[in-house]
Amino acid sequence: FFKSAMLGRRGTQLNEVGVSHSTVSWMSRLCFSILAVATLMLFLQVQYLFFRIHQEQAQIQELQDMIHKEQQVQIQNIKERVDQQHSESLYQLAGMFTLLSGLITMFHIANHLRQFHEPVVQRKIVAILWMSPIYGVTSFISLLFPVFEGYLSILKDFYEAYVIYQFLAFLIAVLGRGDYEAVVGVLARHHQHHGSKSGCCCCSKEVEEDSITWSRKTLWECQVLAMQFVFTRPLTSIASFVVQTTSTRREQEDAPGVVAFLLSAEFILAMIQNVSVFLAFSGLLKFYHAVRDELQWCQPFSKFLCIKGVVFMTFWQGLVITILMFVKRQGDGDSSPLDIFTNNTIIASFVGNSTSSSEVHTEQNNNNDIEQWTSTSIQNLLICLEMLLFSIAHWCVFPTEEWEEGYSPQEHTPKPGFGLRDFVADVNNIVEQRRATSRKALPVSQYDDDDEDGGDNSHNDRLRLS
């Protein structure tokens, strides 16, 4: 009984233990399941949170890119508006200076027409005075419409050559007042001082001539040398424009090198232009040196400077601007500084082409209208501004009072200053003393011959000094 009782009690305990073990295992499984579900839910929540963060970051980046693009567009629009306003301001400035230049010239021409005392002379002056408005208007139109630059440059080249001849005609008219024989007589008086022999430029044979024959031939030669420039300059400009426009863009942009450019049609035409200019100025200077004493009262040298100063200033100014723009464009590249000597744009500007064909072609084919201020545009802008100064200079050197009856040149009265005239006079005295010292070593006959011309030379020196 005891044994059975003990066994029964032990079985009951074992049953309780088995129940408790099964309960624990079930509870542990339940806990692990709950923990796994919780971990899974937490993992899903973390992944969802990462997804939301990534999505928000993408939206933020997209918004930042959108804002950056909008800012860039706004900045570009503002820059374009500022550049447009800047360009419009420069256009207005150029137009205002061109208008003022034209008004001053028109008023100056009207004064000459109202006081038309010497029609033969003043007609030449009126033709010369048109130079500033023509240069200003053509440059202003080229500034607004670069496509017409090549055509308008032909007009400027033609009028440049025409004004050179008109200046020679002006000097002839001042001497003869329409009388050709009077000019021949003036030249005949200088026959002994400028030579009594003549010969053609193709042979070295010299022929003795009397003063009248020499004067007629000299006047005819000077007129022919100046007149050939009137016909040569427009023809070479038209031929150069045709060559430049018919060449392809690749041929214009590629630098052909110095040797290839020297054999090109552009260089040959430029050399023809330069030879024609040289011959025209040779004839003009030959006539001026023959009769400079008779023309001294109207100051022809200052008049000539105001005429040719327009051409020379624009030429060298355009060359400097072209070089500076070339250096600016090549500043960020790997090109060598020696490329400046092989660039056909600069070579073409140096040999005499007033307009760079490759640059004008680039302007016409450039789709970026903001970067329109190239060397040609800057050159046209400066010409518009400078023509006002030349109009004022023409007003001063071509006064209407010179052609009134009884006019006499005004003598310069001493004025306070830096004493430059006195310094120049002292330099002239030292040079004359040096000449007098060197003459003492010459033979008597040669000294006498020099004295015959010395008086005139010293007199001419004093006139030039005054």
Side-chain angles (χ1 to χ4, degrees):
F1 176 77
F2 178 78
K3 184 177 181 181
S4 61
M6 292 297 291
L7 290 174
R9 185 179 179 182
R10 185 176 182 183
T12 303
Q13 291 178 351
L14 289 175
N15 290 333
E16 292 178 356
V17 171
V19 172
S20 62
H21 277 292
S22 61
T23 302
V24 170
S25 64
W26 180 82
M27 291 295 293
S28 63
R29 289 191 186 97
L30 180 62
C31 290
F32 279 118
S33 299
I34 294 173
L35 183 61
V37 172
T39 304
L40 179 61
M41 293 296 295
L42 182 62
F43 176 76
L44 293 177
Q45 289 179 357
V46 170
Q47 292 298 322
Y48 178 74
L49 182 62
F50 284 153
F51 173 75
R52 292 289 299 174
I53 292 173
H54 180 73
Q55 188 177 9
E56 294 293 337
Q57 287 179 350
Q59 292 178 356
I60 292 173
Q61 185 65 32
E62 184 178 357
L63 290 175
Q64 288 180 349
D65 294 339
M66 185 182 301
I67 293 172
H68 181 71
K69 290 180 180 179
E70 291 179 355
Q71 289 178 348
Q72 292 295 326
V73 171
Q74 292 177 357
I75 292 173
Q76 186 67 22
N77 292 333
I78 293 173
K79 183 178 179 181
E80 290 179 0
R81 287 197 295 267
V82 171
D83 291 340
Q84 185 177 3
Q85 293 177 357
H86 179 69
S87 300
E88 291 177 355
S89 300
L90 293 177
Y91 293 151
Q92 293 174 1
L93 182 64
M96 182 185 66
F97 272 70
T98 303
L99 180 61
L100 290 176
S101 175
L103 291 176
I104 292 174
T105 303
M106 293 299 104
F107 187 70
H108 193 189
I109 293 174
N111 284 341
H112 276 281
L113 295 178
R114 282 196 300 266
Q115 303 178 14
F116 217 49
H117 303 292
E118 295 289 344
V120 177
V121 179
Q122 289 179 283
R123 281 201 302 267
K124 311 299 187 299
I125 295 177
V126 170
I128 293 172
L129 294 180
W130 280 106
M131 187 176 190
S132 296
I134 289 177
Y135 263 70
V137 172
T138 53
S139 298
F140 182 67
I141 296 175
S142 299
L143 185 63
L144 296 178
F145 308 102
V147 68
F148 299 115
E149 170 68 27
Y151 304 99
L152 295 175
S153 63
I154 296 175
L155 177 61
K156 287 190 289 187
D157 292 341
F158 166 74
Y159 207 79
E160 171 198 347
Y162 181 70
V163 167
I164 295 299
Y165 177 77
Q166 284 298 321
F167 183 72
L168 177 62
F170 164 76
L171 298 181
I172 296 174
V174 170
L175 292 177
R177 306 302 171 95
D179 188 0
Y180 186 84
E181 296 300 328
V183 181
V184 173
V186 173
L187 286 172
R189 291 199 298 267
H190 298 275
H191 177 242
Q192 298 297 330
H193 295 283
H194 297 278
S196 59
K197 298 179 180 181
S198 65
C200 62
C201 58
C202 301
C203 60
S204 59
K205 183 179 180 180
E206 295 180 348
V207 181
E208 294 288 344
E209 293 179 343
D210 60 283
S211 59
I212 299 299
T213 305
W214 176 85
S215 300
R216 291 181 184 277
K217 287 188 176 182
T218 300
L219 183 58
W220 178 84
E221 179 183 355
C222 295
Q223 287 182 310
V224 169
L225 289 177
M227 190 174 293
Q228 58 83 27
F229 185 50
V230 180
F231 298 100
T232 305
R233 180 67 170 174
L235 293 177
T236 53
S237 299
I238 294 173
S240 179
F241 177 73
V242 171
V243 170
Q244 293 164 2
T245 53
T246 54
S247 59
T248 62
R249 183 177 181 180
R250 183 179 182 84
E251 292 176 353
Q252 292 178 349
E253 292 179 351
D254 295 339
V258 177
V259 177
F261 185 78
L262 293 177
L263 300 177
S264 64
E266 295 180 359
F267 182 79
I268 296 174
L269 292 172
M271 287 299 101
I272 294 175
Q273 290 179 2
N274 290 333
V275 172
S276 180
V277 170
F278 173 76
L279 294 177
F281 278 99
S282 298
L284 186 61
L285 292 176
K286 182 177 181 180
F287 181 81
Y288 170 74
H289 284 297
V291 295
R292 59 187 177 189
D293 294 338
E294 285 76 7
L295 296 172
Q296 192 67 34
W297 65 273
C298 66
Q299 299 178 353
F301 189 69
S302 60
K303 293 178 171 61
F304 175 75
L305 288 182
C306 289
I307 294 172
K308 198 56 184 175
V310 177
V311 181
F312 272 106
M313 176 176 288
T314 53
F315 169 73
W316 291 108
Q317 176 179 273
L319 180 61
V320 171
I321 293 174
T322 303
I323 294 176
L324 292 178
M325 293 296 292
F326 175 79
V327 173
K328 181 181 178 181
R329 288 195 300 267
Q330 301 295 330
D332 298 332
D334 298 330
S335 59
S336 172
L338 296 177
D339 291 344
I340 195 172
F341 300 103
T342 59
N343 183 268
N344 60 357
T345 302
I346 297 175
I347 297 176
S349 300
F350 182 75
V351 298
N353 290 337
S354 59
T355 303
S356 174
S357 61
S358 60
E359 186 173 358
V360 172
H361 190 278
T362 304
E363 286 182 8
Q364 297 174 357
N365 293 278
N366 190 8
N367 294 325
N368 189 2
D369 295 331
I370 303 302
E371 298 178 356
Q372 58 181 341
W373 289 101
T374 58
S375 62
T376 305
S377 301
I378 297 174
Q379 170 77 344
N380 290 325
L381 174 64
L382 293 178
I383 290 176
C384 293
L385 304 182
E386 292 163 353
M387 287 306 106
L388 176 61
L389 303 178
F390 279 103
S391 297
I392 298 173
H394 287 169
W395 179 282
C396 297
V397 300
F398 289 102
T400 57
E401 295 82 7
E402 287 183 342
W403 316 111
E404 296 178 355
E405 295 181 0
Y407 172 79
S408 60
Q410 298 180 357
E411 297 182 357
H412 296 282
T413 57
K415 297 180 180 180
F418 295 97
L420 295 178
R421 290 182 178 272
D422 297 335
F423 176 76
V424 174
D426 293 340
V427 172
N428 190 29
N429 291 332
I430 292 174
V431 172
E432 289 182 354
Q433 291 177 5
R434 179 62 180 174
R435 289 178 180 176
T437 304
S438 61
R439 285 178 179 178
K440 293 180 180 179
L442 297 175
V444 178
S445 59
Q446 186 174 356
Y447 178 78
D448 294 338
D449 293 338
D450 291 341
D451 285 342
E452 292 178 0
D453 297 334
D456 294 336
N457 292 334
S458 61
H459 177 66
N460 295 337
D461 293 337
R462 286 193 295 273
L463 287 175
R464 286 194 298 273
L465 180 60
S466 63

